[in-house]
Amino acid sequence: MVYLRSRLDVADNSGARMATMIGVIGKGTAQCAGIGDVIVANVKEASATGTVKKGEVIRAVIVRTRQPIKRADGSVLLFDHNSLVLIDNALHPRV
């Protein structure tokens, strides 16, 4: 689970490095999101040569969380960092 104001790594080549979650799209007043949820985020760190700039408000989808994911076969999947991928309004990855 990722909560409001959580810092997430950016796992794509858009130029952003770190972002903060500021809202969840499609869940009403929910304040937490999981893998596959579309969120609104604010870019906190960005490279100078990237297409995304610091302070920009973007849409993103969460692709990794530190919270363990339990599968039906009994296996558990978890990652070291919370990560997201930037998307556009048509839900395609930004480059």
Side-chain angles (χ1 to χ4, degrees):
M1 297 302 245
V2 178
Y3 295 96
L4 291 179
R5 293 190 284 287
S6 294
R7 294 178 71 91
L8 299 107
D9 294 331
V10 179
D12 61 10
N13 295 328
S14 63
R17 292 184 182 150
M18 183 76 65
T20 302
M21 183 176 114
I22 57 176
V24 183
I25 296 176
K27 282 196 169 182
T29 60
Q31 296 187 358
C32 62
I35 290 181
D37 288 338
V38 178
I39 64 168
V40 179
N42 182 5
V43 177
K44 293 294 184 182
E45 295 178 20
S47 64
T49 59
T51 59
V52 179
K53 302 301 178 197
K54 180 180 174 182
E56 191 173 338
V57 176
I58 45 102
R59 285 183 175 216
V61 63
I62 297 177
V63 294
R64 292 191 287 259
T65 62
R66 294 176 74 175
Q67 177 73 27
I69 301 165
K70 297 178 183 175
R71 294 187 173 170
D73 64 356
S75 63
V76 177
L77 179 67
L78 67 126
F79 298 95
D80 290 336
H81 302 283
N82 297 324
S83 299
L84 56 83
V85 173
L86 304 181
I87 58 174
D88 58 11
N89 288 336
L91 303 180
H92 299 295
R94 286 177 65 173
V95 194

